[in-house]
Amino acid sequence: MARRKKRGRRKSRRRTTRRRSLGIRIVTIMAMLLAGYLVFLDFHVRQQFDGKRWSLPARVYARPLELYVGLALTPEQLASEFSALSYRSTAVPRQPGQVSRNRGTFHIITRPFVHSDGQEASSNIRVRIANGQVARLDDAGSGRPISLVRLDPVMVGSFYPSHNEDRVLVKLEEVPATLIEALIAVEDRNFYRHSGIAPKSIMRALLANIRAGGVVQGGSTLTQQLVKNFYLTSERTVTRKLNEAIMALMLEWHYEKNEILEAYLNEVYLGQDGQRAVHGFGLASHFYFGRPLSELGVEQTALLVGLVKGPSYYNPRRHADRARSRRNLVLDVMGEGGQMKPEQVAQAKSRKLGVVPYRKKAINTFPAFLELVRRQLERDYREDDITSEGLRIFTTLDPQIQWHLEQVLDRRLSGLEQASALKGDTLQAAAVVTSIQGGEVLALAGDRHAKFAGFNRALNAQRQVGSVIKPAAYLTALEQPDKYTLATLLDDDPLTWTAPNGTTWSPNNYDRQFHGKVPLYSALMHSYNVATARLGLEIGIKPIISTLQRLGVDHDFRPYPSLVLGAAELTPLQVTQMYQTLASGGFRAPLRAIRAVLAADGMPLQSYPLRVKAAVKPATVYLVMTALRHAARNGTGRSLYQVLPESLDIAGKTGTTDDLRDSWFAGYTGDRLAVVWVGRDDNGPTGLTGSSGALLVWRDLFARLGDTGLLQAAAEDIETIPIDPVSGLRADTGCRDAVELPFIQDSGPAEWAPCADGGSQFQRPVDWFKELFE
């Protein structure tokens, strides 16, 4: 019995020992797991906080408006620029972003801005506009004249990451002190004293909320809120709250308070802009007030702080009364904490919310142009770089021209539909406006409703181009001055061409008439199809295709004779590239929508300078331009001058396709080129020619843009000779309808027209003796 009891005690001790050993092992394993988990959390906290904290969308800016004496500008245009920039109208400007106006005189304090070529400081200036131009530009303080002032550019759009988050990063020193004071007073009064968590703050917040009669303080510290937003989800579980507390302690252990506060200011969720989440006080300031954080008043910063508790519930645009009450509670807390005097609190509470009307300005102000920008960016940057690295993209867009284009398109197309008894929104349009010397796209519309972010017809709609392609054929011919000049007579009699397979082609003129022998310039001026077709067959279709490619048209053309009459499908942008080379005197420059790209920190990444290549001799281009001048003034484009001033120098060409399906006009003045297409998406007939459709849009636009100077000057090897248009020979005072035409040196006709002094050479003794002795 004693031995059995002794064995039992030994077994019991062994079981106890095994249990203790197992317990120690379990505790050890749990401790190791816990330690490993803490190490993992610590690594996660530091890795994300030290690395790329946020995916930042790219910001896209228009050209900055540069003010100087002599700049063509109206007071209304300058006022619209300030409106787009959200400058505030005041009696006396006292800080950046403010402007006052007295008729044509503006007093402005411009905003500082980091442009693609460096920092532009804030300027206190006065601008006086008279007779459609800047008449004076002075320093508002000293009255001294200023040569040039550059405004901050209008932001026209953004490229967002797939999760549609957005933020405007701010540095702590850029944030108004009143905002920081209000945030700490309301959300975490002991922020600079606790170590990440503050158990006593829960009781303090409870008492504060009871005294205020509403929720003005929360129990979580700012550090915990940052952890929740930055690392975790918003689910309400014990595990999530425990992780939040541990990670808050870790964050406080590794980083300074100001680093944590700055991250919080940029991370906190403050609203929703459609599918775009508004994060951080920097973006919220633009979203709710239309201006930078540095320009807000104390009542506005109090409203933003109040939104931290519930951006949807206190949305000032939907629930103004709630937002006002919340703002006032924040102001009261600041007063109680000594951050504001009682009279300051009362004054701030008496002010309006000051929230601007909702608009999706920052997303897709000009969607068609943004698509072109993105297309050009994709040549040099990856998708992730474009959407998440915070690139700052400076473009060529001129908002003034873009606004004019949008207004003209909608009004003119509505008028065309009414005049033709077409159902509303039957007609569609696309247009591209460029600067001739710089090769920059100044404005672009891919839809008659330019704000519509759908199918971009300017870039993607391939439509038959009709007669706008004809200048390429005439240019090809005029490159052979020994055979063709502007005075060369072309045959516009009936033509039937037989293909190698036996099929025939018989082109006809638009007026269904034939015109016999016509000078080359007149055939282009009146857009005679038969004369052009015969010319194309004489010089060859392949050389014409080569000319189109030299002009910059990237397209796989088929060598059919009908090509010279426009049987090719091109986009408005491709047509613009062709005319850009013609308008610039034969120098091809790829159209560009981007000037420069900066990194998020302002460091230059890439510039997009003008790249020019000689494509066609300037003298030959000058001859074609002369014919297009005649087309605009006396030919198919003559209705331009029913509205535009006679002094405006225009070269242009209409285009009309079979059954009046496509209406085109391409035209240019001194430094601006525009191509307009009007048609239907179902490719049905519009009832419009190039002259009765697209040309009217172009005319309306340039009536708003005003005079832009003279066209290309004649090259040195150009001489001008009076020509009789009937015979194509030299004319003098005896020829009543003589036309002065340019010729490449020594290519003009030597013979005199029959109408010259009665048609007898022997009545010209000087010429007779000259020929005799030669």
Side-chain angles (χ1 to χ4, degrees):
M1 180 67 70
R3 284 197 297 269
R4 282 200 300 268
K5 288 181 179 181
K6 191 174 181 180
R7 283 197 301 269
R9 283 195 297 270
R10 286 199 297 269
K11 290 180 180 178
S12 177
R13 283 197 297 269
R14 285 196 295 270
R15 283 196 298 269
T16 301
T17 301
R18 283 198 298 269
R19 291 194 191 101
R20 287 176 180 172
S21 178
L22 179 60
I24 292 171
R25 286 197 293 270
I26 291 173
V27 170
T28 302
I29 292 171
M30 291 180 64
M32 292 174 63
L33 290 174
L34 177 59
Y37 182 64
L38 292 176
V39 170
F40 166 76
L41 281 183
D42 186 70
F43 174 77
H44 180 54
V45 166
R46 287 185 291 111
Q47 183 187 45
Q48 189 164 340
F49 204 83
D50 289 336
K52 177 184 170 184
R53 298 181 187 174
W54 298 286
S55 294
L56 300 176
R59 308 285 181 194
V60 185
Y61 297 93
R63 62 90 187 98
L65 179 61
E66 296 181 338
L67 300 174
Y68 54 89
V69 173
L71 172 68
L73 191 69
T74 67
E76 290 69 28
Q77 288 175 328
L78 185 55
S80 66
E81 194 88 16
F82 288 128
S83 175
L85 289 167
S86 297
Y87 273 56
R88 285 160 292 137
S89 180
T90 62
V92 180
R94 300 188 184 281
Q95 66 180 50
Q98 293 184 340
V99 58
S100 68
R101 176 185 177 184
N102 182 12
R103 297 184 180 180
T105 300
F106 294 79
H107 179 192
I108 314 140
I109 301 181
T110 66
R111 293 190 181 113
F113 190 84
V114 180
H115 294 269
S116 59
D117 58 354
Q119 172 79 39
E120 187 87 13
S122 176
S123 299
N124 187 358
I125 61 171
R126 291 188 189 275
V127 182
R128 186 168 68 84
I129 299 175
N131 301 319
Q133 66 178 14
V134 175
R136 287 187 63 88
L137 181 61
D138 303 319
D139 182 277
S142 66
R144 291 195 303 268
I146 301 174
S147 59
L148 178 71
V149 171
R150 181 167 51 174
L151 302 181
D152 47 313
V154 175
M155 192 176 82
V156 298
S158 298
F159 299 127
Y160 293 97
S162 59
H163 50 277
N164 282 320
E165 281 191 8
D166 193 8
R167 53 180 52 80
V168 174
L169 292 185
V170 293
K171 295 180 181 179
L172 190 61
E173 58 268 23
E174 299 170 346
V175 180
T178 53
L179 189 149
I180 296 175
E181 291 169 356
L183 180 66
I184 292 176
V186 171
E187 293 295 325
D188 191 355
R189 188 169 297 177
N190 292 315
F191 173 72
Y192 282 103
R193 291 191 293 271
H194 63 64
S195 299
I197 58 174
K200 293 182 179 180
S201 66
I202 298 175
M203 291 301 299
R204 185 179 299 108
L206 179 61
L207 294 174
N209 293 337
I210 293 173
R211 285 198 303 268
V215 180
V216 297
Q217 292 189 27
S220 297
T221 65
L222 288 180
T223 312
Q224 286 177 271
Q225 293 181 41
L226 175 61
V227 167
K228 181 183 70 174
N229 294 328
F230 196 63
Y231 297 100
L232 305 173
T233 66
S234 57
E235 61 179 342
R236 296 178 179 271
T237 64
V238 175
T239 302
R240 202 273 297 162
K241 290 295 291 184
L242 183 60
N243 281 334
E244 177 186 298
I246 296 172
M247 295 171 79
L249 291 169
M250 291 175 173
L251 203 61
E252 293 269 357
W253 175 262
H254 290 294
Y255 302 100
E256 298 292 335
K257 285 286 187 180
N258 284 347
E259 290 182 88
I260 295 171
L261 180 58
E262 184 176 273
Y264 180 91
L265 292 168
N266 286 299
E267 172 60 27
V268 61
Y269 172 71
L270 291 170
Q272 195 71 28
D273 182 8
Q275 294 183 344
R276 179 182 65 148
V278 177
H279 284 266
F281 286 96
L283 180 61
S285 179
H286 288 277
F287 180 61
Y288 291 110
F289 301 110
R291 55 182 185 269
L293 200 59
S294 59
E295 298 178 15
L296 298 188
V298 64
E299 73 281 0
Q300 293 160 330
T301 59
L303 176 59
L304 293 183
V305 170
L307 290 174
V308 172
K309 190 60 62 180
S312 178
Y313 186 79
Y314 295 108
N315 186 330
R317 294 192 179 101
R318 294 184 178 180
H319 311 293
D321 290 339
R322 290 181 193 169
R324 186 177 295 104
S325 298
R326 177 67 183 168
R327 178 200 69 177
N328 291 347
L329 283 171
V330 173
L331 291 169
D332 286 335
V333 171
M334 293 180 70
E336 293 172 5
Q339 286 87 17
M340 296 177 66
K341 296 179 180 179
E343 58 271 22
Q344 292 176 320
V345 173
Q347 187 179 30
K349 289 169 70 174
S350 68
R351 294 186 182 127
K352 296 180 179 180
L353 293 178
V355 175
V356 297
Y358 174 73
R359 56 180 178 175
K360 290 187 177 180
K361 173 184 173 183
I363 297 180
N364 57 355
T365 309
F366 307 119
F369 181 81
L370 286 179
E371 183 177 345
L372 177 61
V373 170
R374 184 163 194 147
R375 181 179 293 187
Q376 294 187 357
L377 280 174
E378 287 172 347
R379 301 171 188 169
D380 302 309
Y381 298 92
R382 298 175 305 152
E383 177 69 15
D384 286 348
D385 295 333
I386 295 173
T387 60
S388 64
E389 292 297 333
L391 300 181
R392 304 179 67 209
I393 302 157
F394 294 87
T395 74
T396 60
L397 182 79
D398 187 322
Q400 299 287 345
I401 298 177
Q402 181 71 33
W403 293 328
H404 285 314
L405 177 60
E406 293 177 2
Q407 294 166 5
V408 163
L409 277 178
D410 190 46
R411 292 177 183 176
R412 175 53 70 177
L413 263 62
S414 295
L416 291 174
E417 287 168 343
Q418 293 175 5
S420 303
L422 292 173
K423 183 180 177 182
D425 280 347
T426 296
L427 296 177
Q428 263 298 349
V432 184
V433 184
T434 66
S435 68
I436 293 172
Q437 298 304 318
E440 297 182 333
V441 178
L442 304 177
L444 186 142
D447 191 286
R448 65 179 290 178
H449 306 294
K451 294 292 187 290
F452 178 66
F455 181 60
N456 191 339
R457 294 161 188 81
L459 306 186
N460 303 317
Q462 294 192 339
R463 304 292 295 231
Q464 282 209 353
V465 293
S467 297
V468 291
I469 206 172
K470 286 179 180 177
Y474 287 84
L475 181 66
T476 307
L478 291 168
E479 287 183 309
Q480 307 173 56
D482 56 329
K483 294 182 180 180
Y484 298 97
T485 71
L486 290 179
T488 301
L489 295 181
L490 301 181
D491 187 358
D492 194 54
D493 287 324
L495 166 68
T496 297
W497 176 79
T498 303
N501 62 3
T503 59
T504 60
W505 177 55
S506 300
N508 208 338
N509 290 321
Y510 177 75
D511 60 5
R512 303 295 176 183
Q513 297 180 11
F514 300 97
H515 308 91
K517 298 290 185 179
V518 295
L520 183 146
Y521 85 91
S522 183
L524 181 55
M525 176 176 76
H526 295 292
S527 200
Y528 293 150
N529 287 337
V530 179
T532 304
R534 186 173 269 111
L535 176 66
L537 291 171
E538 288 177 3
I539 60 178
I541 305 303
K542 289 186 177 180
I544 296 173
I545 292 175
S546 175
T547 297
L548 285 165
Q549 293 169 341
R550 281 187 290 140
L551 292 175
V553 183
D554 184 12
H555 186 78
D556 185 18
F557 292 101
R558 296 183 179 183
Y560 298 149
S562 57
L563 171 66
V564 298
L565 303 186
E569 295 181 346
L570 299 176
T571 67
L573 189 67
Q574 288 174 311
V575 175
T576 305
Q577 183 67 72
M578 169 186 164
Y579 276 84
Q580 180 75 24
T581 307
L582 292 174
S584 63
F587 295 93
R588 185 177 71 242
L591 294 176
R592 59 197 176 107
I594 306 171
R595 290 179 174 177
V597 178
L598 302 186
D601 60 1
M603 292 295 295
L605 290 180
Q606 190 164 358
S607 62
Y608 292 80
L610 177 66
R611 291 184 171 88
V612 179
K613 182 178 182 180
V616 186
K617 291 182 178 180
T620 311
V621 175
Y622 183 80
L623 301 183
V624 173
M625 185 195 68
T626 300
L628 295 178
R629 264 176 169 161
H630 282 278
R633 196 169 290 273
N634 303 305
T636 56
R638 58 187 175 274
S639 63
L640 288 167
Y641 288 98
Q642 293 176 1
V643 173
L644 299 174
E646 288 289 329
S647 61
L648 188 60
D649 203 6
I650 305 171
K653 186 71 190 76
T654 57
T656 309
T657 62
D658 292 342
D659 301 322
L660 305 182
R661 298 178 188 276
D662 300 276
S663 171
W664 290 86
F665 186 73
Y668 52 97
T669 60
D671 192 38
R672 292 196 188 112
L673 159 70
V675 172
V676 179
W677 167 84
V678 175
R680 294 173 57 166
D681 285 340
D682 63 3
N683 203 31
T686 64
L688 301 172
T689 64
S691 298
S692 63
L695 179 144
L696 302 185
V697 175
W698 193 100
R699 187 181 71 182
D700 291 351
L701 176 62
F702 277 73
R704 291 174 176 236
L705 299 183
D707 194 343
T708 61
L710 299 175
L711 292 169
Q712 172 193 355
E716 292 182 359
D717 55 346
I718 290 290
E719 60 179 341
T720 302
I721 303 174
I723 296 295
D724 168 34
V726 176
S727 64
L729 302 177
R730 285 176 178 258
D732 62 11
T733 55
C735 300
R736 298 179 57 186
D737 298 322
V739 178
E740 287 197 348
L741 294 178
F743 293 85
I744 294 175
Q745 198 75 37
D746 299 328
S747 68
E751 297 182 49
W752 292 90
C755 60
D757 284 348
S760 173
Q761 273 194 318
F762 292 100
Q763 294 178 352
R764 256 185 226 87
V766 174
D767 290 344
W768 185 77
F769 278 111
K770 181 179 178 181
E771 290 186 16
L772 179 66
F773 285 104
E774 285 179 351

